[in-house]
Amino acid sequence: MSRPVPNPGILDIAPYTPGKSPVAEPGRKVFKLSANETPFGPSPKAIAAYKDVAGHLEDYPEGSSRVLREAIGRAFGLDPDRIICGAGSDEILNLLAHTYLDHGDEAISTTHGFLVYPIATLANGAKNVVAPETDFTADVDAILKAVSPRTKLVWLANPNNPTGTYLPFDEIKRLRAGLPSNVLLVLDAAYCDYVSRNDYEMGIELVATTENTVMTHTFSKIHGLAALRVGWMFGPPHIVDAVSRIRGPFNVSTPAMLAAVAAIEDTAHQQMSKTHTEKWRNWLTEQITSLGLKVTPSVANFVLIHFPLEKGRTAAEADAFLTKRGLVLRGLNNYGLPHALRMTIGTEEANRLVVDGLRDFLAGK
Ligand SMILES: *Cc1c(COP(=O)(O)O)cnc(C)c1O
Protein backbone atom coordinates (compact mmCIF):
# COMPACT_ATOMS: atom_id res chain seq x y z
CA MET A 1 0.00 0.00 0.00
CA SER A 2 1.37 3.44 -0.82
CA ARG A 3 1.71 6.06 1.85
CA PRO A 4 2.85 9.69 2.01
CA VAL A 5 6.56 10.07 1.24
CA PRO A 6 8.61 13.00 2.58
CA ASN A 7 10.39 15.20 0.02
CA PRO A 8 13.94 14.21 -0.98
CA GLY A 9 16.46 15.32 1.63
CA ILE A 10 14.10 15.29 4.61
CA LEU A 11 15.06 11.79 5.78
CA ASP A 12 18.77 12.63 5.37
CA ILE A 13 18.44 15.05 8.29
CA ALA A 14 19.82 13.52 11.49
CA PRO A 15 16.93 13.41 13.97
CA TYR A 16 17.34 15.93 16.75
CA THR A 17 18.68 14.32 19.91
CA PRO A 18 17.80 16.42 22.94
CA GLY A 19 20.45 16.89 25.63
CA LYS A 20 20.18 14.50 28.56
CA SER A 21 18.19 15.74 31.52
CA PRO A 22 20.77 16.73 34.06
CA VAL A 23 20.59 14.90 37.36
CA ALA A 24 22.69 16.59 40.00
CA GLU A 25 23.50 15.14 43.41
CA PRO A 26 20.85 16.04 46.00
CA GLY A 27 21.39 19.49 47.49
CA ARG A 28 23.32 20.84 44.50
CA LYS A 29 22.11 23.99 42.85
CA VAL A 30 21.82 23.46 39.06
CA PHE A 31 23.52 25.87 36.65
CA LYS A 32 22.48 25.46 33.02
CA LEU A 33 25.54 26.46 31.01
CA SER A 34 24.61 24.48 27.91
CA ALA A 35 22.55 26.74 25.65
CA ASN A 36 24.39 30.10 25.61
CA GLU A 37 21.56 31.77 27.52
CA THR A 38 22.33 34.89 29.52
CA PRO A 39 22.65 34.39 33.30
CA PHE A 40 20.99 37.78 33.81
CA GLY A 41 17.60 37.26 32.19
CA PRO A 42 16.05 39.98 30.07
CA SER A 43 15.84 43.68 30.90
CA PRO A 44 13.17 44.29 33.58
CA LYS A 45 11.62 46.70 31.07
CA ALA A 46 11.19 43.83 28.60
CA ILE A 47 9.43 41.74 31.26
CA ALA A 48 7.14 44.68 32.05
CA ALA A 49 6.31 45.16 28.35
CA TYR A 50 5.55 41.45 28.04
CA LYS A 51 3.18 41.53 31.01
CA ASP A 52 1.43 44.65 29.72
CA VAL A 53 0.20 42.77 26.66
CA ALA A 54 -1.55 40.10 28.72
CA GLY A 55 -4.85 42.04 28.67
CA HIS A 56 -5.05 41.93 24.85
CA LEU A 57 -4.23 38.40 23.83
CA GLU A 58 -7.30 38.16 21.57
CA ASP A 59 -5.80 40.56 19.02
CA TYR A 60 -3.59 39.45 16.14
CA PRO A 61 -0.14 41.01 16.13
CA GLU A 62 0.68 43.85 13.76
CA GLY A 63 1.87 41.72 10.87
CA SER A 64 5.02 43.52 9.74
CA SER A 65 6.58 43.90 13.22
CA ARG A 66 6.79 47.63 12.40
CA VAL A 67 7.55 48.93 15.91
CA LEU A 68 10.29 46.36 16.32
CA ARG A 69 11.80 47.05 12.89
CA GLU A 70 11.83 50.75 13.77
CA ALA A 71 13.50 50.09 17.13
CA ILE A 72 16.15 47.89 15.47
CA GLY A 73 16.59 50.58 12.83
CA ARG A 74 17.26 53.20 15.53
CA ALA A 75 19.63 50.95 17.45
CA PHE A 76 21.80 50.05 14.44
CA GLY A 77 21.18 52.98 12.08
CA LEU A 78 19.29 50.84 9.53
CA ASP A 79 16.35 51.44 7.21
CA PRO A 80 13.40 49.56 8.80
CA ASP A 81 12.11 48.70 5.32
CA ARG A 82 15.13 46.50 4.84
CA ILE A 83 14.52 44.48 8.02
CA ILE A 84 12.41 41.33 8.40
CA CYS A 85 11.58 39.98 11.86
CA GLY A 86 11.01 36.32 12.57
CA ALA A 87 10.17 33.74 15.24
CA GLY A 88 13.81 33.45 16.24
CA SER A 89 16.58 33.73 13.71
CA ASP A 90 15.93 30.02 13.12
CA GLU A 91 12.81 31.01 11.21
CA ILE A 92 14.72 33.62 9.20
CA LEU A 93 17.43 31.10 8.29
CA ASN A 94 14.79 28.62 7.15
CA LEU A 95 12.96 31.30 5.13
CA LEU A 96 16.23 32.19 3.39
CA ALA A 97 16.91 28.54 2.57
CA HIS A 98 13.35 28.08 1.32
CA THR A 99 13.60 31.18 -0.86
CA TYR A 100 16.98 30.44 -2.45
CA LEU A 101 17.65 26.67 -2.32
CA ASP A 102 16.17 23.94 -4.48
CA HIS A 103 16.94 20.39 -5.60
CA GLY A 104 20.39 20.02 -7.07
CA ASP A 105 21.65 23.21 -5.40
CA GLU A 106 24.53 23.29 -2.96
CA ALA A 107 24.95 25.36 0.20
CA ILE A 108 28.27 25.63 2.00
CA SER A 109 28.80 25.59 5.75
CA THR A 110 31.98 24.95 7.75
CA THR A 111 33.04 21.81 9.67
CA HIS A 112 31.87 23.04 13.06
CA GLY A 113 29.22 25.45 11.83
CA PHE A 114 25.85 25.95 13.51
CA LEU A 115 23.66 22.83 13.08
CA VAL A 116 20.63 24.75 11.86
CA TYR A 117 22.44 25.40 8.54
CA PRO A 118 22.66 21.82 7.24
CA ILE A 119 19.10 21.18 8.42
CA ALA A 120 17.75 24.19 6.51
CA THR A 121 19.79 23.15 3.45
CA LEU A 122 18.66 19.52 3.44
CA ALA A 123 15.05 20.45 4.21
CA ASN A 124 14.95 22.18 0.83
CA GLY A 125 16.43 19.29 -1.11
CA ALA A 126 19.84 20.94 -1.52
CA LYS A 127 23.22 19.44 -0.71
CA ASN A 128 25.21 20.51 2.34
CA VAL A 129 28.84 21.05 1.32
CA VAL A 130 31.26 21.25 4.25
CA ALA A 131 34.31 23.50 4.04
CA PRO A 132 37.13 22.56 6.44
CA GLU A 133 38.18 24.99 9.18
CA THR A 134 41.65 25.96 10.35
CA ASP A 135 42.17 26.03 14.13
CA PHE A 136 38.39 25.81 14.66
CA THR A 137 38.00 28.97 12.59
CA ALA A 138 36.24 29.37 9.24
CA ASP A 139 38.77 29.41 6.40
CA VAL A 140 37.94 31.76 3.54
CA ASP A 141 40.14 29.92 1.05
CA ALA A 142 38.55 26.58 1.94
CA ILE A 143 35.05 28.05 1.50
CA LEU A 144 35.99 29.53 -1.87
CA LYS A 145 37.48 26.19 -2.92
CA ALA A 146 34.18 24.46 -2.08
CA VAL A 147 32.25 26.65 -4.52
CA SER A 148 30.85 24.87 -7.59
CA PRO A 149 28.49 25.99 -10.37
CA ARG A 150 25.70 24.60 -8.17
CA THR A 151 26.53 26.71 -5.10
CA LYS A 152 23.67 29.05 -4.21
CA LEU A 153 24.33 30.01 -0.61
CA VAL A 154 27.08 30.24 2.04
CA TRP A 155 26.21 30.06 5.74
CA LEU A 156 28.63 31.72 8.14
CA ALA A 157 28.13 32.47 11.82
CA ASN A 158 30.50 35.24 12.87
CA PRO A 159 31.38 34.65 15.69
CA ASN A 160 30.72 30.94 15.24
CA ASN A 161 28.88 28.64 17.63
CA PRO A 162 30.15 26.24 19.07
CA THR A 163 33.77 27.31 18.50
CA GLY A 164 33.60 30.96 19.63
CA THR A 165 36.02 32.06 16.91
CA TYR A 166 35.48 34.87 14.39
CA LEU A 167 36.70 36.25 11.09
CA PRO A 168 37.87 39.85 10.85
CA PHE A 169 35.99 42.15 8.48
CA ASP A 170 38.83 42.07 5.93
CA GLU A 171 38.40 38.31 5.63
CA ILE A 172 34.62 38.59 5.27
CA LYS A 173 35.14 41.14 2.50
CA ARG A 174 37.65 38.83 0.82
CA LEU A 175 35.10 36.01 1.03
CA ARG A 176 32.38 38.14 -0.53
CA ALA A 177 34.70 39.35 -3.28
CA GLY A 178 35.72 35.77 -4.10
CA LEU A 179 32.18 34.35 -4.25
CA PRO A 180 30.19 34.47 -7.49
CA SER A 181 27.70 37.34 -7.38
CA ASN A 182 24.70 34.96 -7.62
CA VAL A 183 25.71 33.23 -4.36
CA LEU A 184 23.89 34.50 -1.26
CA LEU A 185 26.19 35.05 1.73
CA VAL A 186 24.32 34.73 5.05
CA LEU A 187 26.20 36.30 7.97
CA ASP A 188 24.73 35.14 11.28
CA ALA A 189 25.64 37.71 13.93
CA ALA A 190 23.93 36.01 16.92
CA TYR A 191 26.94 36.71 19.16
CA CYS A 192 28.11 40.05 17.73
CA ASP A 193 27.15 41.95 20.90
CA TYR A 194 29.87 40.15 22.85
CA VAL A 195 32.72 40.97 20.47
CA SER A 196 35.08 43.79 21.30
CA ARG A 197 37.69 43.62 18.56
CA ASN A 198 38.33 46.58 16.32
CA ASP A 199 38.79 44.36 13.26
CA TYR A 200 35.26 42.93 13.60
CA GLU A 201 32.10 44.09 11.84
CA MET A 202 28.71 42.37 12.24
CA GLY A 203 27.89 42.45 8.53
CA ILE A 204 25.89 45.65 8.14
CA GLU A 205 28.42 47.37 5.88
CA LEU A 206 28.56 44.48 3.43
CA VAL A 207 24.77 44.15 3.31
CA ALA A 208 24.47 47.87 2.69
CA THR A 209 26.96 47.84 -0.17
CA THR A 210 26.15 44.59 -2.00
CA GLU A 211 23.12 42.92 -3.59
CA ASN A 212 23.92 39.41 -2.37
CA THR A 213 24.61 39.50 1.38
CA VAL A 214 22.23 39.35 4.35
CA MET A 215 22.91 39.45 8.07
CA THR A 216 20.79 37.89 10.78
CA HIS A 217 20.61 38.62 14.48
CA THR A 218 18.67 37.38 17.50
CA PHE A 219 17.06 38.46 20.75
CA SER A 220 17.87 35.07 22.29
CA LYS A 221 21.38 35.80 23.53
CA ILE A 222 22.42 39.14 25.05
CA HIS A 223 18.77 40.27 25.29
CA GLY A 224 17.78 37.13 27.20
CA LEU A 225 14.52 36.53 25.30
CA ALA A 226 15.16 33.02 23.95
CA ALA A 227 11.79 31.78 25.24
CA LEU A 228 9.94 34.38 23.15
CA ARG A 229 11.59 33.50 19.80
CA VAL A 230 12.56 36.77 18.12
CA GLY A 231 15.18 37.26 15.43
CA TRP A 232 15.67 39.50 12.42
CA MET A 233 17.53 39.98 9.19
CA PHE A 234 18.84 43.01 7.34
CA GLY A 235 19.12 42.62 3.59
CA PRO A 236 19.02 44.28 0.17
CA PRO A 237 15.48 45.32 -0.94
CA HIS A 238 15.13 42.55 -3.55
CA ILE A 239 15.90 39.85 -0.95
CA VAL A 240 13.60 41.44 1.63
CA ASP A 241 10.87 41.47 -1.03
CA ALA A 242 11.35 37.79 -1.96
CA VAL A 243 11.55 36.49 1.62
CA SER A 244 8.55 38.59 2.71
CA ARG A 245 6.39 36.73 0.21
CA ILE A 246 6.73 33.43 2.08
CA ARG A 247 6.88 34.82 5.62
CA GLY A 248 3.83 33.93 7.73
CA PRO A 249 1.67 37.04 8.08
CA PHE A 250 1.77 37.00 11.91
CA ASN A 251 5.09 35.29 12.55
CA VAL A 252 6.13 37.41 15.55
CA SER A 253 3.73 37.51 18.49
CA THR A 254 2.80 40.82 20.12
CA PRO A 255 4.37 39.98 23.52
CA ALA A 256 7.60 38.97 21.78
CA MET A 257 7.62 42.09 19.62
CA LEU A 258 7.03 44.56 22.46
CA ALA A 259 9.42 42.84 24.87
CA ALA A 260 12.09 42.96 22.15
CA VAL A 261 11.53 46.70 21.64
CA ALA A 262 12.02 47.34 25.36
CA ALA A 263 15.08 45.07 25.40
CA ILE A 264 16.88 46.73 22.53
CA GLU A 265 16.28 50.16 24.09
CA ASP A 266 17.84 49.09 27.41
CA THR A 267 21.45 49.62 26.41
CA ALA A 268 22.60 49.68 30.05
CA HIS A 269 21.42 46.09 30.51
CA GLN A 270 23.29 45.01 27.38
CA GLN A 271 26.47 46.82 28.43
CA MET A 272 26.38 45.22 31.88
CA SER A 273 26.09 41.79 30.30
CA LYS A 274 28.86 42.46 27.79
CA THR A 275 31.26 43.72 30.50
CA HIS A 276 30.54 40.70 32.70
CA THR A 277 31.00 38.29 29.81
CA GLU A 278 34.31 39.78 28.78
CA LYS A 279 35.71 39.75 32.31
CA TRP A 280 34.73 36.14 32.99
CA ARG A 281 35.64 34.91 29.52
CA ASN A 282 39.20 36.10 30.17
CA TRP A 283 39.21 34.63 33.66
CA LEU A 284 37.82 31.26 32.58
CA THR A 285 40.23 31.00 29.65
CA GLU A 286 43.18 31.73 31.92
CA GLN A 287 42.08 29.46 34.74
CA ILE A 288 41.10 26.49 32.58
CA THR A 289 44.29 26.80 30.53
CA SER A 290 46.32 26.78 33.72
CA LEU A 291 44.67 23.48 34.65
CA GLY A 292 46.31 22.04 31.54
CA LEU A 293 43.26 22.00 29.26
CA LYS A 294 43.14 23.73 25.89
CA VAL A 295 40.61 26.51 25.45
CA THR A 296 39.88 27.87 21.99
CA PRO A 297 40.13 31.69 22.17
CA SER A 298 36.52 32.95 22.17
CA VAL A 299 34.93 36.31 21.44
CA ALA A 300 31.42 35.10 22.34
CA ASN A 301 29.55 34.30 25.59
CA PHE A 302 30.88 30.74 25.77
CA VAL A 303 34.17 28.90 25.67
CA LEU A 304 35.16 25.66 23.95
CA ILE A 305 37.21 23.41 26.26
CA HIS A 306 39.25 20.53 24.81
CA PHE A 307 39.94 17.37 26.81
CA PRO A 308 42.60 14.65 26.54
CA LEU A 309 41.71 11.26 25.04
CA GLU A 310 43.03 9.15 27.93
CA LYS A 311 40.53 7.30 30.02
CA GLY A 312 39.59 9.16 33.19
CA ARG A 313 40.19 12.56 31.59
CA THR A 314 37.85 12.61 28.60
CA ALA A 315 35.21 15.19 27.75
CA ALA A 316 32.40 12.68 28.31
CA GLU A 317 33.74 11.82 31.78
CA ALA A 318 34.22 15.49 32.65
CA ASP A 319 30.66 16.16 31.51
CA ALA A 320 29.30 13.42 33.81
CA PHE A 321 31.48 14.64 36.71
CA LEU A 322 30.36 18.27 36.39
CA THR A 323 26.72 17.31 35.88
CA LYS A 324 26.70 15.55 39.26
CA ARG A 325 27.76 18.88 40.75
CA GLY A 326 24.87 20.64 39.00
CA LEU A 327 27.11 22.17 36.33
CA VAL A 328 25.53 21.42 32.96
CA LEU A 329 27.84 22.02 30.00
CA ARG A 330 27.21 21.05 26.38
CA GLY A 331 28.66 17.89 24.89
CA LEU A 332 29.38 18.33 21.19
CA ASN A 333 29.20 14.85 19.64
CA ASN A 334 26.71 16.02 17.04
CA TYR A 335 29.00 18.92 16.14
CA GLY A 336 31.87 16.52 15.40
CA LEU A 337 33.66 17.62 18.58
CA PRO A 338 33.43 14.57 20.88
CA HIS A 339 36.57 15.61 22.79
CA ALA A 340 35.34 19.07 23.73
CA LEU A 341 32.69 20.66 25.92
CA ARG A 342 31.13 24.05 25.39
CA MET A 343 30.55 26.15 28.48
CA THR A 344 28.29 29.19 28.49
CA ILE A 345 29.74 31.94 30.64
CA GLY A 346 27.59 32.14 33.74
CA THR A 347 27.41 34.04 37.00
CA GLU A 348 30.58 34.46 39.05
CA GLU A 349 29.37 31.61 41.29
CA ALA A 350 28.83 29.24 38.37
CA ASN A 351 32.14 30.12 36.71
CA ARG A 352 34.12 29.52 39.90
CA LEU A 353 32.33 26.22 40.54
CA VAL A 354 33.21 24.98 37.04
CA VAL A 355 36.90 25.76 37.50
CA ASP A 356 36.88 24.07 40.93
CA GLY A 357 35.03 21.12 39.39
CA LEU A 358 37.50 20.76 36.53
CA ARG A 359 40.42 20.93 38.98
CA ASP A 360 38.91 18.14 41.08
CA PHE A 361 38.07 16.12 37.98
CA LEU A 362 41.62 16.29 36.65
CA ALA A 363 43.00 15.43 40.10
CA GLY A 364 40.85 12.27 39.99
CA LYS A 365 38.74 13.25 43.00
C1 LIG B 1 21.70 30.89 19.38
C2 LIG B 1 22.01 31.07 17.94
C3 LIG B 1 21.09 31.69 17.09
C4 LIG B 1 19.79 32.21 17.62
O1 LIG B 1 18.74 31.43 17.24
P1 LIG B 1 17.26 31.92 17.61
O2 LIG B 1 16.42 31.08 16.73
O3 LIG B 1 17.18 33.37 17.26
O4 LIG B 1 17.06 31.67 19.06
C5 LIG B 1 21.42 31.87 15.77
N1 LIG B 1 22.62 31.47 15.29
C6 LIG B 1 23.53 30.89 16.08
C7 LIG B 1 24.86 30.52 15.50
C8 LIG B 1 23.24 30.65 17.43
O5 LIG B 1 24.14 30.03 18.20
Side-chain angles (χ1 to χ4, degrees):
M1 207 180 0
S2 77
R3 55 180 195 174
V5 175
N7 288 331
I10 300 288
L11 296 183
D12 297 334
I13 298 170
Y16 180 77
T17 39
K20 58 183 168 24
S21 304
V23 183
E25 288 163 351
R28 298 269 190 190
K29 190 164 150 187
V30 174
F31 296 90
K32 188 177 173 216
L33 307 170
S34 57
N36 297 343
E37 295 145 340
T38 173
F40 299 112
S43 157
K45 291 170 189 157
I47 298 172
Y50 177 81
K51 287 183 174 162
D52 274 354
V53 187
H56 302 280
L57 297 184
E58 67 280 16
D59 296 332
Y60 273 103
E62 188 279 310
S64 79
S65 300
R66 183 180 51 80
V67 291
L68 179 53
R69 288 185 296 108
E70 287 171 356
I72 295 166
R74 283 193 299 277
F76 290 97
L78 306 177
D79 176 358
D81 288 341
R82 292 180 58 174
I83 295 170
I84 295 179
C85 296
S89 31
D90 277 5
E91 185 193 16
I92 302 279
L93 299 170
N94 280 291
L95 289 174
L96 286 165
H98 199 39
T99 306
Y100 291 101
L101 295 178
D102 201 353
H103 286 221
D105 292 341
E106 294 176 359
I108 299 172
S109 59
T110 65
T111 315
H112 305 113
F114 189 40
L115 273 184
V116 168
Y117 309 151
I119 294 173
T121 297
L122 294 168
N124 290 281
K127 186 175 160 203
N128 176 50
V129 175
V130 179
E133 298 172 357
T134 305
D135 291 335
F136 304 99
T137 308
D139 179 328
V140 169
D141 294 308
I143 296 172
L144 293 176
K145 229 173 110 184
V147 172
S148 87
R150 295 172 171 237
T151 308
K152 287 283 178 60
L153 193 153
V154 173
W155 304 108
L156 187 68
N158 196 33
N160 184 52
N161 170 23
T163 55
T165 55
Y166 79 107
L167 286 183
F169 188 39
D170 280 353
E171 281 293 279
I172 300 286
K173 279 192 285 197
R174 190 164 76 80
L175 172 63
R176 180 65 272 177
L179 289 172
S181 61
N182 69 313
V183 171
L184 175 64
L185 174 60
V186 179
L187 297 171
D188 178 345
Y191 299 97
C192 68
D193 310 279
Y194 298 106
V195 185
S196 36
R197 298 289 179 98
N198 56 18
D199 60 356
Y200 174 79
E201 206 270 336
M202 68 189 285
I204 286 174
E205 187 178 325
L206 215 46
V207 176
T209 55
T210 65
E211 287 288 308
N212 43 25
T213 308
V214 300
M215 61 141 298
T216 63
H217 200 5
T218 181
F219 282 86
S220 301
K221 304 287 153 61
I222 203 161
H223 297 296
L225 294 174
L228 290 185
R229 315 303 305 125
V230 200
W232 55 278
M233 66 165 250
F234 172 57
H238 73 100
I239 294 180
V240 168
D241 173 62
V243 172
S244 297
R245 289 167 195 257
I246 59 166
R247 178 181 66 79
F250 305 108
N251 62 332
V252 180
S253 74
T254 310
M257 203 187 302
L258 297 183
V261 170
I264 205 166
E265 288 175 349
D266 191 346
T267 52
H269 190 76
Q270 295 157 44
Q271 190 54 51
M272 175 276 294
S273 179
K274 179 177 182 178
T275 305
H276 172 95
T277 302
E278 198 167 342
K279 172 181 168 183
W280 289 98
R281 186 172 62 212
N282 291 336
W283 185 85
L284 284 163
T285 305
E286 235 174 74
Q287 295 285 316
I288 297 171
T289 304
S290 75
L291 295 176
L293 298 174
K294 247 184 92 185
V295 179
T296 298
S298 169
V299 295
N301 68 333
F302 55 88
V303 287
L304 183 67
I305 310 167
H306 303 269
F307 289 81
L309 306 185
E310 18 164 336
K311 204 167 168 336
R313 302 169 77 85
T314 64
E317 288 162 293
D319 194 17
F321 184 93
L322 294 173
T323 297
K324 275 196 246 158
R325 294 193 174 192
L327 304 163
V328 186
L329 277 61
R330 176 67 159 257
L332 298 169
N333 286 330
N334 53 358
Y335 276 96
L337 291 165
H339 309 304
L341 296 177
R342 189 191 67 196
M343 174 195 173
T344 306
I345 294 163
T347 57
E348 170 171 358
E349 183 187 8
N351 298 335
R352 290 188 183 280
L353 286 171
V354 170
V355 169
D356 291 346
L358 286 172
R359 188 181 297 113
D360 289 349
F361 168 71
L362 293 168
K365 287 197 183 164

